[in-house]
Amino acid sequence: MMKYYSTKGKVSNVSFQEAITRGLPADNGLYMPETIPLLAPSFFEKLPQMSLAEIGLEVAKVFIGDEIPHDRLSRIVEETVAFDIPLKKIEEGIFSLELFHGPTLAFKDVGARFLARCLGHFSGESKQQATVLVATSGDTGSAVAHGFLGVDNINVVILYPKGKVSELQEKQFTTLGHNITALEIEGTFDDCQALVKQAFLEEQLRSDLNLTSANSINMARLIPQSFYYFWAYAQYQKEGLDHPLCLAVPSGNYGNLTAGLIAKRMGLPIDHFLAVSNLNDTVPLYLKNGVFAPKPSVPTISNAMDVGNPSNFARMADLYANELKDMQQHVTGYSFDDKETAKALNEVFQQQGYLMDPHGAVAYLGLKDYLSDRSLSGIFLETAHPAKFLGVVEDIIKKDIAIPENLKACLSKEKKSLPLENTFSALKSFLTEASALNP
């Protein structure tokens, strides 16, 4: 059985079930698998002929073993990736991996759907009520809300920074009701994330509410995100190209990039990764000067990446045993401001007829720079549908864009979020009172 350890190493190793139901170790580290095995050469040989669900099942089995029966795990994976993730050529040597074809039109649908189904499986076995506590800078909230909507025995509480997510993003997770509650916090995403982490460190509160997390601090978010890196490579192989491949990942809390690095550790032949941020450049600066210096987040047009103290850096550092030079062999950091992002978004739309969202545009910029003097091909991750950032994108390209029907439907719904002080005492009181109402 695969065991999971804390990156801080001060607590005992646990099973997959305990790692995802606890979310966060008691020592405030992050869970990591004891080993990341190399997949067999035969797996990579047959990769281009495999479906996304088949790839996902093979990868998931490595980390879950028999803790979830094979047939049930197969259904979980099939339901998780029951939508297209196409690779599209944008220009010579540059491709976009479109991760926004799920129900909330963002890449986080993959991780949230997998986590919801795994937790649903375990809670169904125990019949015990659980509370999922999550902070969002935009897309996590909607993906988690839709992933867990109506799941028996699970209540979801989402913290988000007031005025710092787009209207469409906000409406996607504040209009659902049922077992979904949204709390509007006066502050930044980092404030919301800090409140969530503090709740997990209160052992009595965590025990009483059976708290778990749906942020990328939860290992069950990262495992399925690794699926689409294998899938991207499989589609690239089908293009008949043999250039070494670079992947550019727009990065905020760095869970998505960490999932890619785990895939590489499993043998996926990706030549290099780019950690591309907006002005919240904590990790790109570390990759340049070796100093990890968290700082207050700065609002940008790529708001889902507005994170000044990214949690998953602890996992990145752990993967490379805190050796900067080893990490630099596989990862290069970039950061770009809003003006550069808008210029790239508009130019690609005008010249190539392809509309990126602001996060994809940031990744595209990093990829263009890195490939400029190298014989490589590159893929950048398009993490959300551009319509989720309607005002920003239309202002940049000076054209109206079509809003997908499921997004349009959200706009007419009533927002049901609750304002909450930016203090842990206020959050603790809310959670305690809500638990009393939902025994």
Side-chain angles (χ1 to χ4, degrees):
M1 177 191 292
M2 177 71 77
K3 291 284 189 177
Y4 291 79
Y5 66 89
S6 169
T7 53
K8 290 197 172 178
K10 296 178 182 178
V11 294
S12 300
N13 294 0
V14 300
S15 66
F16 172 75
Q17 179 177 353
E18 187 172 351
I20 73 163
T21 53
R22 288 184 67 88
L24 198 69
D27 64 358
N28 202 26
L30 294 177
Y31 283 119
M32 284 287 283
E34 275 186 329
T35 60
I36 302 175
L38 281 171
L39 293 169
S42 58
F43 171 79
F44 293 101
E45 289 169 6
K46 63 184 180 182
L47 200 59
Q49 286 75 51
M50 297 173 72
S51 70
L52 177 55
E54 289 170 336
I55 292 170
L57 181 59
E58 291 301 310
V59 174
K61 287 192 301 187
V62 171
F63 297 102
I64 297 172
D66 60 1
E67 289 193 58
I68 298 177
H70 182 274
D71 289 348
R72 177 62 181 140
L73 182 59
S74 179
R75 289 199 303 275
I76 286 172
V77 172
E78 287 176 0
E79 292 170 5
T80 294
V81 293
F83 49 85
D84 196 16
I85 300 180
L87 185 71
K88 294 191 175 179
K89 185 175 181 179
I90 307 305
E91 55 193 74
E92 195 60 40
I94 292 183
F95 301 82
S96 165
L97 185 68
E98 292 187 346
L99 297 169
F100 55 74
H101 294 278
T104 72
L105 306 184
F107 80 100
K108 294 179 181 181
D109 281 324
V110 175
R113 286 160 68 86
F114 185 81
L115 173 59
R117 284 156 177 78
C118 288
L119 286 177
H121 169 76
F122 291 130
S123 67
E125 287 187 328
S126 67
K127 303 298 182 184
Q128 185 179 7
Q129 285 278 335
T131 298
V132 172
L133 188 61
V134 62
T136 185
S137 56
D139 290 326
T140 292
S142 54
V144 168
H146 286 260
F148 282 92
L149 183 64
V151 174
D152 291 339
N153 301 316
I154 294 180
N155 297 306
V156 178
V157 178
I158 300 168
L159 281 67
Y160 73 102
K162 181 179 180 180
K164 294 180 173 63
V165 302
S166 75
E167 181 186 8
L168 280 167
Q169 286 174 317
E170 185 179 36
K171 283 292 186 81
Q172 279 191 303
F173 62 82
T174 62
T175 59
L176 298 174
H178 300 286
N179 60 326
I180 311 297
T181 302
L183 300 178
E184 194 173 20
I185 307 296
E186 286 278 2
T188 65
F189 168 76
D190 291 316
D191 294 325
C192 297
Q193 183 169 252
L195 290 172
V196 168
K197 284 190 170 184
Q198 194 169 351
F200 280 96
L201 295 177
E202 290 263 334
E203 194 58 44
Q204 190 63 53
L205 182 68
R206 175 151 72 173
S207 176
D208 290 346
L209 274 64
N210 195 18
L211 279 184
T212 191
S213 173
N215 277 102
S216 58
I217 58 175
N218 195 308
M219 192 65 205
R221 279 274 306 275
L222 268 65
I223 290 171
Q225 286 178 214
S226 69
F227 300 170
Y228 48 70
Y229 288 95
F230 293 94
W231 178 242
Y233 184 74
Q235 292 182 86
Y236 178 73
Q237 287 181 300
K238 289 179 182 178
E239 293 284 333
L241 301 172
D242 56 6
H243 282 140
L245 188 58
C246 172
L247 270 164
V249 185
S251 300
N253 217 14
Y254 289 83
N256 208 4
L257 176 58
T258 302
L261 295 174
I262 288 172
K264 181 174 176 64
R265 187 67 60 88
M266 297 175 79
L268 184 65
I270 300 300
D271 187 79
H272 205 71
F273 283 88
L274 306 180
V276 195
S277 80
N278 52 31
L279 289 178
N280 297 281
D281 56 356
T282 304
V283 171
L285 285 177
Y286 167 80
L287 288 163
K288 291 175 184 174
N289 61 31
V291 178
F292 182 70
K295 54 187 178 180
S297 59
V298 178
T300 72
I301 61 172
S302 49
N303 67 283
M305 303 192 301
D306 293 349
V307 183
N309 186 13
S311 292
N312 281 289
F313 176 76
R315 285 190 171 113
M316 292 175 61
D318 188 80
L319 279 169
Y320 292 96
N322 292 296
E323 289 292 338
L324 173 63
K325 289 183 179 179
D326 290 345
M327 190 185 294
Q328 288 171 328
Q329 291 295 313
H330 294 160
V331 188
T332 297
Y334 286 95
S335 63
F336 299 95
D337 62 26
D338 283 354
K339 185 176 180 180
E340 294 169 306
T341 303
K343 183 172 184 287
L345 193 156
N346 187 52
E347 286 182 352
V348 170
F349 178 68
Q350 300 299 336
Q351 296 171 13
Q352 310 296 340
Y354 185 79
L355 184 58
M356 304 181 291
D357 87 292
H359 307 77
V362 169
Y364 170 85
L365 280 166
L367 189 58
K368 284 286 284 187
D369 187 89
Y370 188 79
L371 297 181
S372 61
D373 59 353
R374 294 176 173 87
S375 296
L376 300 172
S377 293
I379 297 173
F380 68 94
L381 303 192
E382 254 298 313
T383 54
H385 194 288
K388 296 192 78 169
F389 313 95
L390 193 65
V392 168
V393 173
E394 288 185 340
D395 185 58
I396 291 171
I397 66 172
K398 307 303 180 187
K399 288 186 178 180
D400 294 339
I401 61 175
I403 305 175
E405 286 303 317
N406 54 345
L407 278 184
K408 196 180 295 184
C410 292
L411 289 172
S412 61
K413 295 180 180 178
E414 180 186 357
K415 173 180 164 182
K416 299 175 182 177
S417 65
L418 303 173
L420 194 74
E421 291 178 18
N422 186 7
T423 65
F424 180 65
S425 60
L427 176 61
K428 185 176 181 179
S429 294
F430 173 85
L431 292 173
T432 303
E433 291 168 9
S435 176
L437 293 174
N438 297 285

